[in-house]
Amino acid sequence: MSAIGSITARIHEISGVATGIAAAVEKQGAATQEIVRNVAQAASGTGGVTSNIARVAGGAEETGAAASQVLGAATELSRQSEQLATGMSRFLAIVRAA
């Protein structure tokens, strides 16, 4: 009967090892699921950042266009100011001569 007892003991050892392996596999599966969730969240966050960068780039482009228009208006205003100064000088010269 000692052979049966030895076999029974071995079966209990193998059962314990199998239970330990099953628990480790379950923990590894849970860890893998957590990694998948974290990667998905990171991907989502990256998408949000990309969207924000695109909006900022669009805003920068609009600002550049507006700055170009302001520069054009300022250049025209400067030209008109010079013409006005020239015209005033001529007018004053005519008034003084008269």
Side-chain angles (χ1 to χ4, degrees):
M1 286 255 201
S2 74
I4 292 177
S6 178
I7 292 172
T8 302
R10 288 287 183 199
I11 289 174
H12 284 298
E13 283 180 39
I14 292 170
S15 176
V17 169
T19 300
I21 291 171
V25 167
E26 186 176 332
K27 285 181 182 178
Q28 187 174 6
T32 301
Q33 296 251 339
E34 183 66 23
I35 290 169
V36 167
R37 276 193 297 276
N38 290 337
V39 168
Q41 287 175 346
S44 175
T46 301
V49 168
T50 300
S51 175
N52 287 338
I53 288 171
R55 274 188 257 139
V56 167
E61 186 176 327
E62 290 174 9
T63 300
S68 179
Q69 289 176 348
V70 168
L71 176 61
T75 301
E76 178 62 19
L77 183 59
S78 176
R79 187 187 65 73
Q80 289 178 4
S81 174
E82 288 173 10
Q83 285 180 345
L84 181 60
T86 302
M88 285 298 293
S89 293
R90 284 187 203 146
F91 173 74
L92 290 175
I94 290 172
V95 169
R96 285 185 192 130

